[in-house]
Amino acid sequence: GMVILANALPCQLWGARILRLWMDIMPGEAAGPGTVFAASFIVVSPTCLLTGLMFPLAVHVAAHEKDRPLARLYVLETIGFAAGGLLFTFVFADHIHAFRIALGAALFALGGAAILLRPGLIRGCAVTLLLLFAIMTLYPRVPDMLERRSIDARWRAAGFLGAQASGARLVASRDTRYQNLAVIASGGQYDVFADGETAFSFPDPYTYEHYVHFIMAQRTDAQKILVIGGNPLGMIPELLRYPVLKRLVYVVPDPGMAGVLQGVAADDWHAIASDPRVAISACDGPRFLMTNRESYDVVISCAPEPATACANRYFTREYFAAASRALTPHG
């Protein structure tokens, strides 16, 4: 089971990224509930079934050995799952790409199989695979190549690259603990995607001139402005055109977004970050408002559509009450 699990992990990762091709989902098409259920089952069932099977088998084996109390197995399993979740969320997700994580997990599975299996053909296969996966993991070009090609295949399957999007190229892709961020360039235009959904595009001065100045027309004398989310490369330059502005706080809910934009548009990002009036805070938007102690003349909240429970927090009564408390009396 552990040998199969080790081989299944990288295959599942690749399969998840090109699943739209397998399921014959057209570019731009939103999959229905049945398709989503079938796709999820196909992707996660090998790992789920194997991990769900191995623990009961371990309990069954331990039940026949008096020196291995069952309680210890449950404690070890709980500690393992908790440690894995914490490591992935706070260490791996921000610093190690998906294929390197999958290959590393496969190494642990194969190592366990090599230790537990009895000498024989299957154990020899496990040891051979262990050495092969170790070479692939420790040699940086292999996991990096697999990561790049699978990401490229993902966006081709979605219709944003390839023959259906002539001239488009993927210039950045990064997984953070919050989401997947990607930037696709085409004809001088950059489209930023968050978990496959378009977050914003730049340069697009026409759109942000209308967006910002219609708001600022209500308080042209604003000296302190708070901006939560949105496109900093489009909004902040427009806001900085107001000569009376003294302080602009920009809250980026995902710190990875700043890194991606800095890598794609370094000069534009530097112009914003180096302005003495601008303060950039990497913090969750609702949390920032709940703990905020400053008052602002204008608060601009650029939240995504409330399609998830996380995004819906930007549209609650508590969120708007906190935004109201952050405003000056005439804000």
Side-chain angles (χ1 to χ4, degrees):
M2 297 177 73
V3 175
I4 298 174
L5 179 62
N7 289 273
L9 285 172
C11 296
Q12 284 180 260
L13 180 57
W14 191 289
R17 291 178 171 177
I18 62 171
L19 200 59
R20 294 182 67 91
L21 292 176
W22 291 357
M23 305 297 292
D24 196 26
I25 302 173
M26 297 295 293
E29 178 186 356
T35 303
V36 172
F37 176 82
S40 301
F41 180 81
I42 292 172
V43 171
V44 304
S45 59
T47 300
C48 291
L49 291 173
L50 287 169
T51 53
L53 176 64
M54 285 189 291
F55 181 71
L57 287 176
V59 172
H60 177 74
V61 172
H64 294 82
E65 300 184 18
K66 296 181 180 180
D67 59 335
R68 294 184 181 180
L70 298 182
R72 185 185 302 173
L73 285 178
Y74 283 94
V75 171
L76 291 174
E77 186 205 29
T78 303
I79 292 175
F81 273 107
L86 291 172
L87 284 172
F88 177 81
T89 301
F90 296 105
V91 180
F92 297 159
D94 281 332
H95 305 289
I96 306 175
H97 61 66
F99 256 99
R100 191 173 291 278
I101 295 174
L103 291 174
L107 276 178
F108 277 98
L110 288 171
I115 294 172
L116 296 174
L117 286 171
R118 296 176 180 177
L121 179 61
I122 298 179
R123 185 178 183 180
C125 292
V127 172
T128 303
L129 288 171
L130 176 62
L131 294 175
L132 177 62
F133 273 74
I135 294 171
M136 293 172 61
T137 305
L138 297 175
Y139 188 61
R141 292 187 179 181
V142 174
D144 292 348
M145 178 270 294
L146 292 173
E147 179 73 6
R148 287 194 304 269
R149 290 192 177 183
S150 66
I151 290 175
D152 186 73
R154 174 206 292 170
W155 291 102
R156 289 180 184 275
F160 292 101
L161 298 178
Q164 296 168 326
S166 178
R169 56 192 177 90
L170 182 68
V171 295
S173 179
R174 178 180 177 182
D175 290 316
T176 72
R177 69 181 67 175
Y178 304 103
Q179 59 192 339
N180 169 261
L181 298 172
V183 182
I184 294 178
S186 178
Q189 187 83 6
Y190 294 86
D191 297 313
V192 180
F193 294 86
D195 278 343
E197 299 290 337
T198 304
F200 54 83
S201 301
F202 69 91
D204 190 8
Y206 181 80
T207 296
Y208 288 98
E209 282 179 358
H210 285 73
Y211 185 87
V212 167
H213 300 305
F214 275 122
I215 297 174
M216 293 301 295
Q218 302 176 65
R219 279 299 307 267
T220 56
D221 60 341
Q223 297 184 8
K224 294 180 66 177
I225 299 175
L226 171 64
V227 180
I228 301 175
N231 176 9
L233 301 181
M235 297 180 60
I236 295 180
E238 294 297 327
L239 290 168
L240 293 177
R241 294 171 62 180
Y242 288 85
V244 296
L245 179 64
K246 295 181 178 179
R247 178 170 168 79
L248 189 156
V249 178
Y250 173 66
V251 178
V252 53
D254 185 350
M257 181 68 77
V260 168
L261 294 179
Q262 189 173 10
V264 173
D267 293 339
D268 295 335
W269 181 262
H270 178 72
I272 293 170
S274 61
D275 193 295
R277 294 169 292 176
V278 177
I280 299 175
S281 176
C283 182
D284 177 64
R287 180 185 294 274
F288 181 91
L289 279 180
M290 297 298 178
T291 58
N292 171 69
R293 294 296 179 266
E294 292 189 65
S295 295
Y296 305 91
D297 299 309
V298 175
V299 175
I300 303 176
S301 178
C302 306
E305 293 294 325
T308 65
C310 182
N312 189 61
R313 298 177 305 126
Y314 289 84
F315 297 88
T316 61
R317 178 180 299 177
E318 293 78 9
Y319 180 79
F320 284 102
S324 179
R325 290 193 299 270
L327 286 171
T328 57
H330 299 288

